[in-house]
Amino acid sequence: MRKLSLLMLLALSACASVDQYPSPELTSFINATVPPGMPSEQALLRMDVEGFTCDGRAGLQLVTCTRQQPRMMRSPCVETVRLTRDGKGKTITAVDVAPKTCPRW
């Protein structure tokens, strides 16, 4: 009976979830890594170093950066950060960390 309970608990913990709120740890890390006011070019380089892929084309005011977090025996979760640039595209004016999304399987 005990083994069956443990197996059921393991099976339930394997179910994927979509976080309703951004991770406080990721939010804190991103805010320290790419604070508002940072030059856009430097921010994109920092995000690249941290494993994020960003669409930083010139002219885009909103830059979306994503990073995959591997999981054992399942599809990876995706972390998304949106960087808002000023009108000239030279400075980061806002940072938005989206909830992490994880496929069910």
Side-chain angles (χ1 to χ4, degrees), residues 10-82:
L10 265 166
L12 288 174
S13 69
C15 293
S17 67
V18 176
D19 292 340
Q20 292 184 4
Y21 303 101
S23 156
E25 296 84 9
L26 179 62
T27 300
S28 178
F29 174 75
I30 293 298
N31 287 331
T33 303
V34 184
M38 177 179 271
S40 179
E41 198 172 298
Q42 182 182 0
L44 293 177
L45 180 61
R46 297 277 302 271
M47 292 298 282
D48 183 57
V49 167
E50 295 303 331
F52 283 86
T53 300
C54 300
D55 182 4
R57 290 177 281 173
L60 292 179
Q61 187 174 5
L62 183 63
V63 177
T64 301
C65 302
T66 58
R67 173 173 76 177
Q68 292 190 353
Q69 290 296 314
R71 300 184 300 169
M72 289 182 65
M73 299 172 40
R74 292 190 288 168
S75 298
C77 293
V78 177
E79 297 174 330
T80 303
V81 177
R82 294 178 193 88

